[in-house]
Amino acid sequence: MEIRHLKLIKAIVEEGSITKAIDKLHLTQSALSHQLKEAEYQLGTAIFLRVNKKLVLTKAGEKIYELANEILNKLNETQSQIKQMVFGEFGEIRISTECFSSYHWLPSVLKQFHLLYPNVELKIVTEATHIPLQKLLENTIDIAIVSDTVKDNHIKYTELFQDEMVMVVSENHSWADKKYIVAEDFINEHLIIHSLPMETVTIHQFLLAPAKVSPKKITPMPLTEASLEMVKADMGVMSMAKWALQPHLKNTPLKAVKIGKNGLKRKHYVATRANETYPDYFQHFINFLQHEINLQWNIQ
């Protein structure tokens, strides 16, 4: 008798009917009947009797059902123990990212990782978005994906990837034909940003603040699609990761303009608590992020 026969008998007993057992085991009626006949042939006796349209275990069936419970429970327990030995894969990873462009790639990468480690629960903690490093040190999250590093002996950074920020403008905008723009070009511009405070906005941190330049007007707009529509209408300019903008440039009046002569590059890191011993699946997850982000998204 095979494991599939034991699963069949257990399902029929516990589901209470052939129909429900078929659904649970994803078998057809004929396949289930065939497997049941196989099991009864190998035993040389019936496993079920039909009593008032119900299937009732025979004495032999009761013995087999008892055995099925013992073997299947032991099999499941052993499989779980082996998985844990090999991967240490039972647990939870709480993640947050300070950059909203990460939500372009994060969900699909998390989905792929979950297929490999189905017992590791992945939670995105959005309320930590503006202060991920603080929340990391408070143990509210386990991993922070950041581009702004803060020197702290309690935090360990692992480089993920580097990308380039560009300014997005309408094809009718005065910047559209420029090779690159500088801080002073913003003085009379309406800058559309994702959210405040300005200290978390990359273009402010790395270009405007060092040059002590403030745009004429600043508007927070948390919806990327809405911001792009405003830029298309020549109602403002916005910054965006070059790789995230690429799909929006096809057949639209949008143009990407380099920031500074050498471009505005930024590195992204995974931040973890330096003095904490994480389970092995955390390092598997970080390695997975490094590999899959570049493979799937062609980020550069």
Side-chain angles (χ1 to χ4, degrees):
M1 184 170 287
E2 301 173 20
I3 293 295
R4 62 192 175 103
H5 295 130
L6 298 179
K7 288 182 177 178
L8 177 77
I9 295 163
K10 184 175 168 66
I12 293 173
V13 173
E14 295 179 357
E15 296 302 314
S17 73
I18 293 283
T19 303
K20 290 181 179 178
I22 288 171
D23 291 339
K24 182 172 185 178
L25 298 173
H26 307 293
L27 293 173
T28 61
Q29 171 85 45
S30 61
L32 185 144
S33 299
H34 179 70
Q35 287 188 24
L36 183 56
K37 285 180 181 176
E38 274 184 344
E40 290 179 327
Y41 176 77
Q42 291 177 18
L43 287 174
T45 186
I47 296 173
F48 293 98
L49 293 175
R50 285 197 176 274
V51 179
N52 297 328
K53 298 183 179 179
K54 290 185 178 178
L55 288 175
V56 179
L57 285 168
T58 62
K59 287 290 183 187
E62 289 176 357
K63 282 285 185 187
I64 291 298
Y65 176 61
E66 184 180 336
L67 179 66
N69 276 320
E70 290 179 13
I71 290 177
L72 294 176
N73 288 343
K74 189 65 179 176
L75 182 62
N76 289 335
E77 182 184 336
T78 303
Q79 287 176 333
S80 297
Q81 289 173 348
I82 290 173
K83 279 185 178 180
Q84 195 164 13
M85 282 169 51
V86 174
F87 302 112
E89 64 176 2
F90 284 77
E92 176 183 83
I93 301 176
R94 299 165 298 171
I95 311 161
S96 191
T97 172
E98 68 178 0
C99 180
F100 282 93
S101 67
S102 297
Y103 292 111
H104 286 270
W105 53 263
L106 190 57
S108 66
V109 174
L110 296 187
K111 184 179 179 182
Q112 291 294 319
F113 183 79
H114 187 65
L115 292 175
L116 294 175
Y117 297 87
N119 295 316
V120 176
E121 186 175 0
L122 300 165
K123 288 184 178 177
I124 297 178
V125 184
T126 54
E127 55 266 33
T129 296
H130 291 304
I131 45 174
L133 295 179
Q134 177 184 327
K135 292 298 182 183
L136 177 70
L137 294 174
E138 291 173 357
N139 200 18
T140 303
I141 59 175
D142 303 303
I143 281 178
I145 298 172
V146 299
S147 56
D148 301 326
T149 59
V150 173
K151 193 171 183 180
D152 188 319
N153 292 335
H154 298 97
I155 300 176
K156 175 185 174 183
Y157 297 100
T158 303
E159 187 174 333
L160 266 185
F161 62 88
Q162 176 177 279
D163 63 5
E164 179 179 355
M165 297 295 291
V166 294
M167 292 308 300
V168 192
V169 300
S170 158
E171 62 183 2
N172 298 318
H173 193 276
S174 60
W175 292 357
D177 295 324
K178 276 181 171 279
K179 287 186 177 178
Y180 61 89
I181 52 92
V182 295
E184 287 71 21
D185 289 323
F186 284 80
I187 292 174
N188 293 314
E189 292 296 332
H190 175 199
L191 177 63
I192 301 168
I193 61 173
H194 184 277
S195 58
L196 294 169
M198 287 300 287
E199 287 72 22
T200 64
V201 179
T202 301
I203 192 71
H204 172 80
Q205 289 176 298
F206 296 99
L207 186 73
L208 302 180
K212 298 181 179 177
V213 168
S214 296
K216 182 179 180 181
K217 181 180 178 183
I218 297 172
T219 300
M221 180 75 70
L223 299 174
T224 301
E225 297 295 339
S227 299
L228 288 170
E229 290 302 316
M230 287 186 67
V231 174
K232 284 179 188 175
D234 210 7
M235 296 175 66
V237 298
M238 63 184 285
S239 63
M240 199 166 170
K242 187 177 180 181
W243 60 269
L245 175 64
Q246 289 299 326
H248 300 283
L249 292 178
K250 296 177 182 174
N251 303 317
T252 69
L254 295 174
K255 295 285 185 181
V257 184
K258 184 188 287 188
I259 301 170
K261 187 175 182 180
N262 298 316
L264 176 54
K265 309 286 178 60
R266 61 178 182 175
K267 288 185 177 180
H268 297 258
Y269 302 85
V270 168
T272 51
R273 289 182 287 277
N275 300 320
E276 183 166 324
T277 301
Y278 285 83
D280 289 345
Y281 59 79
F282 275 82
Q283 190 56 52
H284 297 159
F285 177 68
I286 293 170
N287 294 342
F288 187 85
L289 282 182
Q290 290 173 314
H291 181 263
E292 291 297 317
I293 290 170
N294 289 291
L295 184 68
Q296 292 187 33
W297 289 93
N298 192 29
I299 292 173
Q300 54 186 322

Short mmCIF file of all heavy atoms in Angstrom, two decimals, residues 139-186:
data_model
loop_
_atom_site.label_atom_id
_atom_site.label_comp_id
_atom_site.label_asym_id
_atom_site.label_seq_id
_atom_site.Cartn_x
_atom_site.Cartn_y
_atom_site.Cartn_z
N ASN A 139 13.29 47.72 16.77
CA ASN A 139 12.84 46.33 16.55
C ASN A 139 11.38 46.25 16.07
O ASN A 139 10.70 45.25 16.27
CB ASN A 139 13.01 45.48 17.82
CG ASN A 139 13.02 44.00 17.51
OD1 ASN A 139 13.23 43.61 16.36
ND2 ASN A 139 12.77 43.17 18.50
N THR A 140 10.93 47.34 15.42
CA THR A 140 9.60 47.31 14.79
C THR A 140 9.67 46.60 13.44
O THR A 140 8.70 46.01 12.99
CB THR A 140 9.08 48.75 14.59
OG1 THR A 140 9.06 49.39 15.87
CG2 THR A 140 7.68 48.75 14.02
N ILE A 141 10.84 46.70 12.78
CA ILE A 141 11.08 45.98 11.53
C ILE A 141 12.40 45.22 11.66
O ILE A 141 13.20 45.48 12.56
CB ILE A 141 11.13 46.93 10.31
CG1 ILE A 141 12.24 47.98 10.49
CG2 ILE A 141 9.79 47.60 10.09
CD1 ILE A 141 12.42 48.87 9.28
N ASP A 142 12.61 44.26 10.75
CA ASP A 142 13.85 43.46 10.77
C ASP A 142 14.84 43.92 9.71
O ASP A 142 16.05 43.76 9.87
CB ASP A 142 13.51 41.98 10.50
CG ASP A 142 12.51 41.44 11.50
OD1 ASP A 142 12.79 41.51 12.71
OD2 ASP A 142 11.43 40.99 11.08
N ILE A 143 14.30 44.44 8.61
CA ILE A 143 15.14 44.86 7.47
C ILE A 143 14.63 46.20 6.96
O ILE A 143 13.42 46.37 6.77
CB ILE A 143 15.09 43.81 6.35
CG1 ILE A 143 16.00 42.63 6.68
CG2 ILE A 143 15.48 44.41 5.00
CD1 ILE A 143 15.96 41.54 5.63
N ALA A 144 15.55 47.14 6.72
CA ALA A 144 15.18 48.42 6.10
C ALA A 144 15.92 48.53 4.78
O ALA A 144 17.12 48.25 4.72
CB ALA A 144 15.55 49.58 7.01
N ILE A 145 15.21 48.90 3.73
CA ILE A 145 15.84 49.13 2.44
C ILE A 145 15.97 50.64 2.28
O ILE A 145 14.96 51.35 2.23
CB ILE A 145 15.02 48.51 1.30
CG1 ILE A 145 14.94 46.99 1.51
CG2 ILE A 145 15.65 48.82 -0.05
CD1 ILE A 145 14.00 46.29 0.57
N VAL A 146 17.20 51.13 2.26
CA VAL A 146 17.43 52.58 2.32
C VAL A 146 18.47 53.01 1.29
O VAL A 146 19.27 52.20 0.82
CB VAL A 146 17.92 53.00 3.73
CG1 VAL A 146 16.89 52.66 4.79
CG2 VAL A 146 19.26 52.34 4.05
N SER A 147 18.43 54.29 0.95
CA SER A 147 19.50 54.87 0.13
C SER A 147 20.29 55.89 0.94
O SER A 147 21.37 56.30 0.53
CB SER A 147 18.92 55.51 -1.14
OG SER A 147 17.94 56.48 -0.80
N ASP A 148 19.74 56.30 2.06
CA ASP A 148 20.44 57.24 2.95
C ASP A 148 20.96 56.48 4.16
O ASP A 148 20.18 55.97 4.97
CB ASP A 148 19.48 58.33 3.44
CG ASP A 148 18.88 59.10 2.28
OD1 ASP A 148 19.60 59.28 1.29
OD2 ASP A 148 17.71 59.49 2.38
N THR A 149 22.27 56.39 4.26
CA THR A 149 22.86 55.68 5.39
C THR A 149 23.21 56.66 6.51
O THR A 149 23.57 57.81 6.24
CB THR A 149 24.12 54.92 4.96
OG1 THR A 149 25.06 55.86 4.43
CG2 THR A 149 23.79 53.87 3.91
N VAL A 150 23.08 56.21 7.71
CA VAL A 150 23.46 56.99 8.89
C VAL A 150 24.52 56.20 9.64
O VAL A 150 24.35 55.00 9.87
CB VAL A 150 22.24 57.22 9.81
CG1 VAL A 150 22.67 57.89 11.11
CG2 VAL A 150 21.18 58.04 9.10
N LYS A 151 25.61 56.85 9.96
CA LYS A 151 26.69 56.13 10.64
C LYS A 151 26.25 55.78 12.05
O LYS A 151 25.96 56.65 12.88
CB LYS A 151 27.96 56.99 10.68
CG LYS A 151 29.19 56.19 11.09
CD LYS A 151 30.46 57.01 10.92
CE LYS A 151 31.68 56.16 11.26
NZ LYS A 151 32.95 56.92 11.12
N ASP A 152 26.15 54.50 12.30
CA ASP A 152 25.69 54.01 13.61
C ASP A 152 26.26 52.60 13.79
O ASP A 152 26.03 51.73 12.95
CB ASP A 152 24.16 53.98 13.65
CG ASP A 152 23.63 53.67 15.05
OD1 ASP A 152 24.20 52.80 15.73
OD2 ASP A 152 22.64 54.32 15.45
N ASN A 153 26.98 52.38 14.85
CA ASN A 153 27.61 51.08 15.09
C ASN A 153 26.59 49.96 15.30
O ASN A 153 26.95 48.78 15.27
CB ASN A 153 28.54 51.14 16.30
CG ASN A 153 29.76 52.00 16.02
OD1 ASN A 153 30.15 52.16 14.87
ND2 ASN A 153 30.34 52.57 17.07
N HIS A 154 25.35 50.34 15.52
CA HIS A 154 24.31 49.33 15.75
C HIS A 154 23.64 48.91 14.44
O HIS A 154 22.74 48.06 14.47
CB HIS A 154 23.25 49.87 16.72
CG HIS A 154 23.81 50.18 18.08
ND1 HIS A 154 24.17 51.45 18.45
CD2 HIS A 154 24.07 49.38 19.13
CE1 HIS A 154 24.64 51.42 19.68
NE2 HIS A 154 24.59 50.18 20.12
N ILE A 155 24.05 49.52 13.33
CA ILE A 155 23.42 49.20 12.03
C ILE A 155 24.47 48.67 11.06
O ILE A 155 25.56 49.23 10.94
CB ILE A 155 22.74 50.45 11.42
CG1 ILE A 155 21.65 50.98 12.36
CG2 ILE A 155 22.13 50.12 10.06
CD1 ILE A 155 21.00 52.27 11.88
N LYS A 156 24.12 47.58 10.37
CA LYS A 156 24.99 47.01 9.34
C LYS A 156 24.32 47.22 7.98
O LYS A 156 23.12 46.95 7.83
CB LYS A 156 25.18 45.51 9.60
CG LYS A 156 25.97 44.79 8.53
CD LYS A 156 26.00 43.30 8.81
CE LYS A 156 26.67 42.54 7.67
NZ LYS A 156 26.62 41.06 7.91
N TYR A 157 25.10 47.71 6.99
CA TYR A 157 24.55 47.95 5.65
C TYR A 157 25.13 46.94 4.65
O TYR A 157 26.33 46.68 4.66
CB TYR A 157 24.89 49.36 5.18
CG TYR A 157 24.28 50.45 6.02
CD1 TYR A 157 25.04 51.12 6.99
CD2 TYR A 157 22.96 50.82 5.86
CE1 TYR A 157 24.49 52.13 7.77
CE2 TYR A 157 22.39 51.83 6.63
CZ TYR A 157 23.16 52.48 7.59
OH TYR A 157 22.61 53.47 8.36
N THR A 158 24.26 46.41 3.81
CA THR A 158 24.69 45.54 2.71
C THR A 158 24.20 46.15 1.41
O THR A 158 23.00 46.42 1.26
CB THR A 158 24.06 44.13 2.86
OG1 THR A 158 24.43 43.58 4.13
CG2 THR A 158 24.54 43.21 1.75
N GLU A 159 25.13 46.42 0.47
CA GLU A 159 24.74 47.09 -0.77
C GLU A 159 23.84 46.20 -1.62
O GLU A 159 24.10 45.02 -1.81
CB GLU A 159 25.98 47.49 -1.57
CG GLU A 159 25.65 48.34 -2.79
CD GLU A 159 26.89 48.86 -3.49
OE1 GLU A 159 27.93 49.02 -2.82
OE2 GLU A 159 26.82 49.10 -4.72
N LEU A 160 22.75 46.82 -2.13
CA LEU A 160 21.81 46.08 -2.99
C LEU A 160 22.04 46.40 -4.47
O LEU A 160 22.28 45.53 -5.27
CB LEU A 160 20.37 46.47 -2.64
CG LEU A 160 19.60 45.63 -1.63
CD1 LEU A 160 18.18 46.14 -1.54
CD2 LEU A 160 19.63 44.17 -2.01
N PHE A 161 21.93 47.68 -4.82
CA PHE A 161 22.12 48.08 -6.21
C PHE A 161 22.30 49.59 -6.28
O PHE A 161 22.07 50.30 -5.28
CB PHE A 161 20.92 47.67 -7.08
CG PHE A 161 19.62 48.29 -6.68
CD1 PHE A 161 19.23 49.52 -7.20
CD2 PHE A 161 18.78 47.66 -5.79
CE1 PHE A 161 18.03 50.11 -6.83
CE2 PHE A 161 17.56 48.23 -5.42
CZ PHE A 161 17.19 49.46 -5.94
N GLN A 162 22.71 50.07 -7.45
CA GLN A 162 22.83 51.51 -7.67
C GLN A 162 21.93 51.90 -8.83
O GLN A 162 21.84 51.16 -9.82
CB GLN A 162 24.28 51.88 -7.99
CG GLN A 162 24.47 53.36 -8.34
CD GLN A 162 25.92 53.72 -8.58
OE1 GLN A 162 26.68 53.94 -7.66
NE2 GLN A 162 26.31 53.79 -9.84
N ASP A 163 21.25 53.03 -8.71
CA ASP A 163 20.45 53.51 -9.84
C ASP A 163 20.69 55.01 -10.04
O ASP A 163 21.46 55.62 -9.30
CB ASP A 163 18.95 53.18 -9.67
CG ASP A 163 18.32 53.88 -8.49
OD1 ASP A 163 19.00 54.69 -7.83
OD2 ASP A 163 17.14 53.61 -8.20
N GLU A 164 20.05 55.56 -11.05
CA GLU A 164 20.24 56.98 -11.37
C GLU A 164 18.89 57.69 -11.33
O GLU A 164 17.89 57.18 -11.86
CB GLU A 164 20.85 57.14 -12.77
CG GLU A 164 21.05 58.61 -13.16
CD GLU A 164 21.69 58.78 -14.53
OE1 GLU A 164 22.06 57.75 -15.14
OE2 GLU A 164 21.80 59.93 -15.00
N MET A 165 18.88 58.86 -10.71
CA MET A 165 17.68 59.69 -10.69
C MET A 165 17.73 60.66 -11.88
O MET A 165 18.80 61.16 -12.24
CB MET A 165 17.60 60.50 -9.39
CG MET A 165 17.47 59.66 -8.14
SD MET A 165 15.94 58.72 -8.06
CE MET A 165 14.74 60.05 -7.84
N VAL A 166 16.57 60.92 -12.48
CA VAL A 166 16.48 61.90 -13.57
C VAL A 166 15.29 62.82 -13.29
O VAL A 166 14.42 62.50 -12.48
CB VAL A 166 16.29 61.22 -14.95
CG1 VAL A 166 17.51 60.41 -15.32
CG2 VAL A 166 15.03 60.35 -14.97
N MET A 167 15.27 63.96 -13.97
CA MET A 167 14.11 64.83 -13.88
C MET A 167 13.16 64.50 -15.04
O MET A 167 13.60 64.24 -16.16
CB MET A 167 14.52 66.31 -13.97
CG MET A 167 15.30 66.81 -12.77
SD MET A 167 14.50 66.50 -11.16
CE MET A 167 12.95 67.40 -11.35
N VAL A 168 11.87 64.49 -14.74
CA VAL A 168 10.86 64.20 -15.75
C VAL A 168 10.17 65.51 -16.10
O VAL A 168 9.69 66.22 -15.21
CB VAL A 168 9.80 63.20 -15.22
CG1 VAL A 168 8.94 62.71 -16.37
CG2 VAL A 168 10.45 62.04 -14.49
N VAL A 169 10.15 65.82 -17.40
CA VAL A 169 9.53 67.08 -17.85
C VAL A 169 8.67 66.81 -19.08
O VAL A 169 8.81 65.79 -19.76
CB VAL A 169 10.60 68.15 -18.19
CG1 VAL A 169 11.46 68.46 -16.98
CG2 VAL A 169 11.44 67.70 -19.38
N SER A 170 7.82 67.77 -19.37
CA SER A 170 7.04 67.71 -20.62
C SER A 170 7.96 68.02 -21.80
O SER A 170 8.96 68.75 -21.66
CB SER A 170 5.91 68.74 -20.55
OG SER A 170 5.46 69.07 -21.85
N GLU A 171 7.62 67.49 -22.96
CA GLU A 171 8.44 67.77 -24.16
C GLU A 171 8.42 69.25 -24.53
O GLU A 171 9.27 69.72 -25.29
CB GLU A 171 7.94 66.94 -25.34
CG GLU A 171 6.51 67.26 -25.76
CD GLU A 171 6.02 66.36 -26.89
OE1 GLU A 171 6.79 65.48 -27.30
OE2 GLU A 171 4.87 66.54 -27.32
N ASN A 172 7.45 70.01 -23.98
CA ASN A 172 7.37 71.46 -24.24
C ASN A 172 8.12 72.28 -23.20
O ASN A 172 8.19 73.51 -23.31
CB ASN A 172 5.90 71.90 -24.27
CG ASN A 172 5.12 71.21 -25.38
OD1 ASN A 172 5.63 71.07 -26.49
ND2 ASN A 172 3.92 70.77 -25.07
N HIS A 173 8.65 71.62 -22.19
CA HIS A 173 9.33 72.34 -21.11
C HIS A 173 10.70 72.86 -21.59
O HIS A 173 11.33 72.25 -22.45
CB HIS A 173 9.51 71.40 -19.91
CG HIS A 173 9.89 72.10 -18.65
ND1 HIS A 173 11.19 72.43 -18.36
CD2 HIS A 173 9.14 72.56 -17.61
CE1 HIS A 173 11.24 73.04 -17.18
NE2 HIS A 173 10.00 73.14 -16.71
N SER A 174 11.13 73.96 -20.98
CA SER A 174 12.42 74.57 -21.39
C SER A 174 13.61 73.65 -21.12
O SER A 174 14.68 73.84 -21.69
CB SER A 174 12.60 75.92 -20.68
OG SER A 174 12.60 75.72 -19.27
N TRP A 175 13.43 72.67 -20.24
CA TRP A 175 14.54 71.75 -19.94
C TRP A 175 14.62 70.60 -20.96
O TRP A 175 15.59 69.84 -20.95
CB TRP A 175 14.36 71.10 -18.58
CG TRP A 175 14.49 72.01 -17.40
CD1 TRP A 175 14.79 73.34 -17.41
CD2 TRP A 175 14.32 71.64 -16.03
NE1 TRP A 175 14.81 73.83 -16.13
CE2 TRP A 175 14.53 72.82 -15.27
CE3 TRP A 175 14.01 70.47 -15.38
CZ2 TRP A 175 14.44 72.81 -13.87
CZ3 TRP A 175 13.92 70.45 -13.99
CH2 TRP A 175 14.13 71.62 -13.24
N ALA A 176 13.60 70.44 -21.77
CA ALA A 176 13.48 69.21 -22.57
C ALA A 176 14.70 68.95 -23.45
O ALA A 176 15.07 67.80 -23.68
CB ALA A 176 12.22 69.29 -23.43
N ASP A 177 15.36 70.01 -23.93
CA ASP A 177 16.52 69.83 -24.82
C ASP A 177 17.85 70.01 -24.11
O ASP A 177 18.90 70.01 -24.75
CB ASP A 177 16.41 70.80 -26.01
CG ASP A 177 15.20 70.49 -26.88
OD1 ASP A 177 14.89 69.30 -27.03
OD2 ASP A 177 14.57 71.44 -27.37
N LYS A 178 17.80 70.20 -22.80
CA LYS A 178 19.05 70.38 -22.05
C LYS A 178 19.78 69.05 -21.89
O LYS A 178 19.15 68.00 -21.75
CB LYS A 178 18.75 70.94 -20.65
CG LYS A 178 18.58 72.44 -20.57
CD LYS A 178 18.31 72.84 -19.12
CE LYS A 178 18.36 74.36 -18.96
NZ LYS A 178 19.71 74.87 -18.83
N LYS A 179 21.13 69.11 -21.90
CA LYS A 179 21.90 67.89 -21.65
C LYS A 179 21.78 67.50 -20.18
O LYS A 179 21.76 66.31 -19.84
CB LYS A 179 23.37 68.11 -22.02
CG LYS A 179 23.61 68.18 -23.53
CD LYS A 179 25.10 68.25 -23.82
CE LYS A 179 25.33 68.24 -25.33
NZ LYS A 179 26.77 68.34 -25.66
N TYR A 180 21.75 68.50 -19.33
CA TYR A 180 21.57 68.26 -17.89
C TYR A 180 21.13 69.55 -17.22
O TYR A 180 21.29 70.64 -17.78
CB TYR A 180 22.85 67.71 -17.24
CG TYR A 180 24.04 68.64 -17.33
CD1 TYR A 180 24.28 69.59 -16.35
CD2 TYR A 180 24.93 68.53 -18.41
CE1 TYR A 180 25.38 70.43 -16.43
CE2 TYR A 180 26.02 69.36 -18.50
CZ TYR A 180 26.25 70.31 -17.51
OH TYR A 180 27.34 71.16 -17.60
N ILE A 181 20.57 69.42 -16.03
CA ILE A 181 20.14 70.61 -15.29
C ILE A 181 20.97 70.71 -14.00
O ILE A 181 21.54 69.72 -13.53
CB ILE A 181 18.63 70.58 -14.96
CG1 ILE A 181 18.22 69.26 -14.28
CG2 ILE A 181 17.82 70.76 -16.24
CD1 ILE A 181 18.24 69.28 -12.80
N VAL A 182 21.03 71.93 -13.45
CA VAL A 182 21.76 72.18 -12.21
C VAL A 182 20.78 72.78 -11.19
O VAL A 182 19.64 73.10 -11.53
CB VAL A 182 22.97 73.12 -12.44
CG1 VAL A 182 23.99 72.46 -13.34
CG2 VAL A 182 22.49 74.45 -13.02
N ALA A 183 21.24 72.97 -9.96
CA ALA A 183 20.36 73.41 -8.88
C ALA A 183 19.67 74.73 -9.21
O ALA A 183 18.46 74.90 -8.96
CB ALA A 183 21.16 73.52 -7.58
N GLU A 184 20.41 75.66 -9.81
CA GLU A 184 19.84 77.00 -10.06
C GLU A 184 18.68 76.95 -11.06
O GLU A 184 17.85 77.87 -11.10
CB GLU A 184 20.94 77.93 -10.60
CG GLU A 184 21.96 78.37 -9.55
CD GLU A 184 22.89 77.25 -9.11
OE1 GLU A 184 23.03 76.26 -9.86
OE2 GLU A 184 23.45 77.35 -8.01
N ASP A 185 18.59 75.92 -11.85
CA ASP A 185 17.48 75.79 -12.81
C ASP A 185 16.13 75.63 -12.11
O ASP A 185 15.08 75.80 -12.73
CB ASP A 185 17.72 74.59 -13.73
CG ASP A 185 18.85 74.83 -14.71
OD1 ASP A 185 18.98 75.97 -15.19
OD2 ASP A 185 19.62 73.89 -14.96
N PHE A 186 16.15 75.28 -10.81
CA PHE A 186 14.90 75.01 -10.09
C PHE A 186 14.26 76.28 -9.52
O PHE A 186 13.13 76.22 -9.03
CB PHE A 186 15.16 74.04 -8.93
CG PHE A 186 15.34 72.60 -9.37
CD1 PHE A 186 16.55 72.16 -9.89
CD2 PHE A 186 14.29 71.70 -9.26
CE1 PHE A 186 16.72 70.85 -10.29
CE2 PHE A 186 14.46 70.38 -9.66
CZ PHE A 186 15.68 69.95 -10.18
#
